[in-house]
Amino acid sequence: TGSLGPDCHCFMSTKTESWGSRVGLILAMAGNAVGLGNFLRFPVQAVQNGGGAFMIPYLVSFLLMGIPLLWIEWATGRFGGRFGNHSTPFILHELDPKRAIWKYIGVFGIFTNIAVAAYYCYLESWTLSYVWHSIQGTFVGKSAAEVAGFFGDYVGLTDPTEPVLFWLLCLVMNTWILSRGLSGGVEKVAKIGMPLLILFGVFLAYQGITLKAGENGALFDGTLGLNFLWTPDYSTIWTPKVWLAAAGQIFFTLSVGMGSIQCYASYIKRRDDIALNAMSAGWMNEFVEVVLGGSILIPIAIGYLGIDRVVELTQSGGLGLGFKTLPYLFTQWGPTMGMFAGIAWFGLLFFAGITSSLAMGTPVMAFLQDEFGWKRNPSAWAFGAIILVLGAPTVFFFNEGVFDEYDYWAGTVSLVVFTLLEVILFAWVFGMDKGWAEINHGADLRIPRVYRFIIKYVTPVILLGVFLGSLPAIYEKLTLPASPYVVGARYLLLALYLGIAWAVYLAYQKRRKVTIR
């Protein structure tokens, strides 16, 4: 029918995937954003960066970077979906069809999902295992050191049978749900998982806030932990490290820069409101993180251990408090209440994890279906197989730093790079006139016009600052001596990116041939 012109919006897919309801879409988007970091990372970041004072740069980052990025990713996803594209390489290509480079920038939206899912599913499997051990009463009667040692033996694969079995169970569960499709799988899990997550969170937050000194072995009231967490230390407010930490937490908590939001949004209708939907999902995530996430881990831990001990423990991050400390503290509430608390804590972590990992699989499946004509089931199981192979090193070489290496490059650096470039593409290449019109198309909520200025100028400057601020750490990491396991992980991630880029190139050549014919 002719040659492929630079502005040709051709596509390969004839799929009819769609969301079953607006509520299901919002819950799925919120589930994508609500992850383990809401409960394990956020409270620790707040403690380490000025308590209540941390909320000032945190909220500023949310308003000036988080919300604009949500609107940008929802808008680009819906725009790309109009032309049959559901993965970021060709969604970004639609914004500037004349330049091929954007397809390969869009590779980050597939690469990040695969690389993060490779280690995230293992982390997710810990929560499922700990639900089982809470039901069994494994931690009852153990000392604090024994409970902490249990976690060390678990991730250290002292006996690999159980960790590997739960990891495989999580992989199969994720893959099977993905094979059921958006409305039949992902949306159903979100409709069940998100309400249960909030219910469990409210129960634990109530337990933490009402903790009384002298009851069930507690040394202090739960309100001491809340006061400590939210009492501002204004001496930290202008420290660049605090602002970088706040901006980084926004990346983690909203799941921007991964390509999953664009993929989810690509399945909505042209007239659907994305302005209000994005705000609804974003603020639901903030409620879960700030209100619930800030009322469980730190108040309960300080109630039993005191401020100084908890500050010391937070230096190693939230995983230690969440998996080594809380299971022991729950046993102080008695066998029955301790069991329910363990089920609630690790259950909400599991639902937070699986709703996020399902979002990671969807863009990969969409790419295989769009570009190579794969059916839903084979594409889902292909994703599962990729995660099995790529995730195995994070399981068997966890103590050698492979897990952390994946997290640093895929879960931190890639997010910053991708969001910076997509904002430049949206605001400066695609253009704010078209971009602003796309965001507001079909909107029930009229966005304040000041956000047009923020998206074009403020958000890119903040992202550039975050990127430049991270360069010294990146340089130091690359120049320091590293173990063979860490070096191998880096090469594996590089090979993954190049492999996806090659697949994108093949897909584009296939599109050209189809169009010429």
Side-chain angles (χ1 to χ4, degrees):
T1 60
S3 62
L4 180 65
D7 297 311
C8 176
H9 300 290
C10 63
F11 57 91
M12 307 289 292
S13 176
T14 57
K15 71 175 70 177
T16 57
E17 289 274 22
S18 63
W19 297 101
S21 65
R22 182 172 183 170
V23 171
L25 168 64
I26 292 173
L27 288 175
M29 281 286 195
N32 169 42
V34 173
L36 299 173
N38 291 66
F39 301 96
L40 297 174
R41 192 176 190 272
F42 169 75
V44 170
Q45 287 288 309
V47 167
Q48 292 176 344
N49 292 284
F54 175 74
M55 291 306 298
I56 296 174
Y58 176 84
L59 288 174
V60 169
S61 297
F62 177 67
L63 293 173
L64 299 184
M65 185 179 67
I67 289 179
L69 284 171
L70 285 174
W71 281 328
I72 288 170
E73 296 199 348
W74 277 72
T76 55
R78 184 179 65 179
F79 182 81
R82 287 170 54 193
F83 308 106
N85 299 300
H86 305 91
S87 59
T88 52
F90 291 100
I91 288 176
L92 297 193
H93 178 68
E94 292 295 346
L95 298 180
D96 184 22
K98 294 181 180 180
R99 296 178 178 87
I101 185 63
W102 296 112
K103 294 193 299 294
Y104 302 105
I105 299 299
V107 168
F108 279 108
I110 299 177
F111 163 81
T112 303
N113 283 289
I114 293 176
V116 171
Y119 68 86
Y120 200 85
C121 283
Y122 183 42
L123 178 57
E124 186 182 305
S125 74
W126 303 349
T127 67
L128 196 60
S129 172
Y130 269 60
V131 167
W132 171 245
H133 284 288
S134 297
I135 295 171
Q136 280 192 313
T138 300
F139 307 115
V140 175
K142 291 187 182 298
S143 67
E146 288 173 330
V147 173
F150 178 88
F151 178 74
D153 291 340
Y154 190 91
V155 298
L157 294 179
T158 299
D159 179 3
T161 305
E162 181 184 311
V164 171
L165 284 177
F166 272 99
W167 173 56
L168 293 175
L169 175 61
C170 267
L171 285 180
V172 171
M173 192 180 306
N174 274 271
T175 305
W176 182 80
I177 294 170
L178 286 169
S179 72
R180 308 301 297 172
L182 286 180
S183 59
V186 175
E187 186 174 337
K188 283 185 177 179
V189 171
K191 285 182 174 179
I192 296 171
M194 288 303 295
L196 282 176
L197 181 152
I198 292 173
L199 179 64
F200 289 159
V202 169
F203 164 70
L204 289 168
Y206 174 80
Q207 290 293 113
I209 295 170
T210 59
L211 199 64
K212 296 296 182 182
E215 295 183 4
N216 298 321
L219 301 176
F220 308 98
D221 291 345
T223 52
L224 178 67
L226 280 182
N227 291 336
F228 171 71
L229 185 60
W230 300 120
T231 299
D233 177 9
Y234 289 114
S235 65
T236 67
I237 195 67
W238 297 116
T239 305
K241 179 180 77 73
V242 174
W243 285 83
L244 283 173
Q249 181 60 28
I250 291 299
F251 281 120
F252 280 100
T253 193
L254 295 178
S255 296
V256 292
M258 294 187 67
S260 49
I261 292 177
Q262 292 96 325
C263 179
Y264 276 5
S266 69
Y267 291 101
I268 64 179
K269 297 180 177 65
R270 170 66 175 152
R271 291 290 304 172
D272 285 350
D273 174 17
I274 61 172
L276 183 58
N277 286 352
M279 288 285 286
S280 300
W283 283 109
M284 183 183 295
N285 173 76
E286 292 308 298
F287 167 78
V288 170
E289 177 158 291
V290 176
V291 178
L292 298 183
S295 303
I296 301 173
L297 189 66
I298 299 300
I300 294 175
I302 286 181
Y304 280 94
L305 305 176
I307 291 174
D308 292 341
R309 178 58 178 156
V310 170
V311 169
E312 178 185 341
L313 290 173
T314 57
Q315 300 309 308
S316 60
L319 286 180
L321 276 174
F323 286 90
K324 295 180 181 180
T325 304
L326 277 195
Y328 169 73
L329 299 182
F330 290 152
T331 63
Q332 308 307 301
W333 299 352
T336 302
M337 182 60 74
M339 179 188 69
F340 282 121
I343 293 171
W345 172 243
F346 294 109
L348 75 83
L349 290 181
F350 172 72
F351 286 121
I354 195 168
T355 51
S356 295
S357 59
L358 290 173
M360 297 173 201
T362 307
V364 182
M365 291 176 56
F367 177 71
L368 294 174
Q369 291 174 271
D370 282 355
E371 309 308 328
F372 300 102
W374 288 35
K375 300 296 184 182
R376 189 169 64 199
N377 278 354
S379 61
W381 291 101
F383 172 74
I386 293 170
I387 300 306
L388 175 66
V389 173
L390 199 66
T394 71
V395 177
F396 295 103
F397 305 119
F398 178 87
N399 285 339
E400 280 72 26
V402 174
F403 184 102
D404 293 334
E405 199 67 16
Y406 276 41
D407 183 48
Y408 181 76
W409 294 108
T412 305
V413 175
S414 291
L415 305 187
V416 176
V417 173
F418 186 46
T419 50
L420 175 59
L421 294 174
E422 73 172 338
V423 169
I424 293 171
L425 169 62
F426 183 84
W428 290 90
V429 180
F430 185 64
M432 273 311 301
D433 288 341
K434 290 189 289 185
W436 189 249
E438 184 65 34
I439 292 173
N440 284 283
H441 185 80
D444 298 326
L445 168 72
R446 302 308 298 178
I447 302 172
R449 195 165 179 82
V450 67
Y451 267 102
R452 181 184 173 116
F453 175 83
I454 290 171
I455 290 172
K456 187 168 184 177
Y457 297 105
V458 180
T459 304
V461 169
I462 294 175
L463 290 169
L464 182 62
V466 172
F467 174 70
L468 294 177
S470 64
L471 287 180
I474 294 173
Y475 176 78
E476 181 182 6
K477 189 170 184 64
L478 289 173
T479 54
L480 287 175
S483 71
Y485 298 99
V486 168
V487 173
R490 292 174 185 172
Y491 280 117
L492 191 58
L493 292 174
L494 178 61
L496 174 64
Y497 183 90
L498 294 176
I500 298 170
W502 177 247
V504 169
Y505 171 78
L506 294 178
Y508 184 62
Q509 296 305 312
K510 186 176 181 180
R511 286 181 174 223
R512 289 174 61 89
K513 291 178 181 178
V514 169
T515 305
I516 291 171
R517 289 172 186 168

